[in-house]
Amino acid sequence: MSLLDVEIVPVSNEPAYRSVVRRIETKIMSGEWAVGDRVPAETTLAQDLGVHRSTIREAIRVLEQNGLVRRHDGGKLLFVTAPREADISSKITAAIVLQEVTFFELWESMRCIEPALVEGAASRISEDTLDALQENVEKTRVAYADKKSLVQLDIEFHQLIATASGNRALQLCRQPISQLFYPAFLNVFSRLNAGERLVFAHEKILQALRSRDAAVAREWMDKHVVDFRRGYELASLDIDAPVGWPGKIDAA
């Protein structure tokens, strides 16, 4: 029996290369082709699947775009790979924007994710990360006048906690949402003096993390996310409007 001893039968008018993509994806997702395995040569795949090499090349192009196969260091050989976080995030971010997901929906999602991440971090966070959070809070305290720095420091604070949680599933869910959610802080900070409230919440969260108190850390993170919604509305921003592409900042 050949490596891929399955006849490719097009579905209605579906291009043949999509059938090839689906078959190879099944091999990878089932574990039959493990991460790190070399992908068979184009000629071998074409022979086994009964299609032209041009069809194989098009299928490989799609699989590369999806992050399931990759060439090492620009070489010709293809290997099975796990999609990188950036590959996943960019596609989901585009889907959120193009499907006109509202900022309220984004906020609801972050209210679920951020408290869960900080709860996990409370039992797993390292002393080095606690020190990094402390440094972040101190920098934030003196950055009230620099709104862009304030936003970057806030993004860093939450990213440190997400990483400290050790929960990769939640991190993968969070990444594309946070890319759209946190840049909106600049709109809020440009219209309100919210720096002191930001630092106060971060200090309370950090204190709970140092005490390894998961319940209190979760409670303060929830308050923090809820407080952001209040700030968003006080800044006269429409929380029910579709979210914009990252980098699009409303005029203050």
Side-chain angles (χ1 to χ4, degrees), residues 20 42 45-46 49 51-60:
V20 174
E42 288 180 3
L45 289 173
L49 292 171
V51 296
H52 295 295
R53 283 187 64 181
S54 60
T55 301
I56 296 297
R57 290 193 193 101
E58 186 64 17
I60 292 298

Side-chain angles (χ1 to χ4, degrees), residues 11 32-33 47 119 151 174 191 200 232-233 246 248:
V11 178
E32 187 171 339
W33 289 5
Q47 181 179 355
E119 183 176 19
V151 172
R174 174 188 182 275
R191 302 179 185 209
F200 181 75
Y232 200 82
E233 292 172 336
K248 181 182 179 181

Side-chain angles (χ1 to χ4, degrees), residues 97-193:
V97 173
L98 294 175
Q99 292 186 30
E100 298 187 330
V101 171
T102 67
F103 194 84
F104 176 76
E105 292 175 285
L106 222 59
W107 173 82
E108 273 192 322
S109 301
M110 293 304 280
R111 192 179 179 189
C112 293
I113 294 171
E114 295 292 284
L117 286 168
V118 79
E119 183 176 19
S123 61
R124 303 182 185 118
I125 196 165
S126 68
E127 290 298 322
D128 285 344
T129 302
L130 286 169
D131 290 343
L133 286 170
Q134 183 65 57
E135 182 181 356
N136 175 281
V137 169
E138 291 169 359
K139 288 181 179 178
T140 305
R141 191 179 290 113
V142 298
Y144 290 164
D146 187 345
K147 307 302 184 184
K148 289 186 178 179
S149 292
L150 212 57
V151 172
Q152 291 304 317
L153 287 164
D154 187 61
I155 291 172
E156 179 187 86
F157 182 86
H158 288 272
Q159 183 58 50
L160 284 166
I161 290 173
T163 303
S165 74
N167 189 316
R168 291 175 294 171
L170 279 175
Q171 289 176 54
L172 286 170
C173 292
R174 174 188 182 275
Q175 183 63 22
I177 298 174
S178 67
Q179 285 184 338
L180 297 168
F181 184 78
Y182 283 106
F185 274 41
L186 185 55
N187 287 328
V188 175
F189 292 148
S190 295
R191 302 179 185 209
L192 300 175
N193 293 320

Side-chain angles (χ1 to χ4, degrees), residues 133-134 136-142 144 150 154 157-158 161 189 193-209 216-217 219-221 223-225 227 230:
L133 286 170
Q134 183 65 57
N136 175 281
V137 169
E138 291 169 359
K139 288 181 179 178
T140 305
R141 191 179 290 113
V142 298
Y144 290 164
L150 212 57
D154 187 61
F157 182 86
H158 288 272
I161 290 173
F189 292 148
N193 293 320
E196 290 186 13
R197 295 181 69 85
L198 178 75
V199 170
F200 181 75
H202 284 190
E203 285 177 332
K204 289 293 186 181
I205 292 167
L206 177 55
Q207 182 180 352
L209 288 172
V216 172
E219 178 185 0
W220 270 104
M221 183 63 80
K223 288 180 179 180
H224 185 34
V225 178
D227 193 52
R230 294 195 192 101

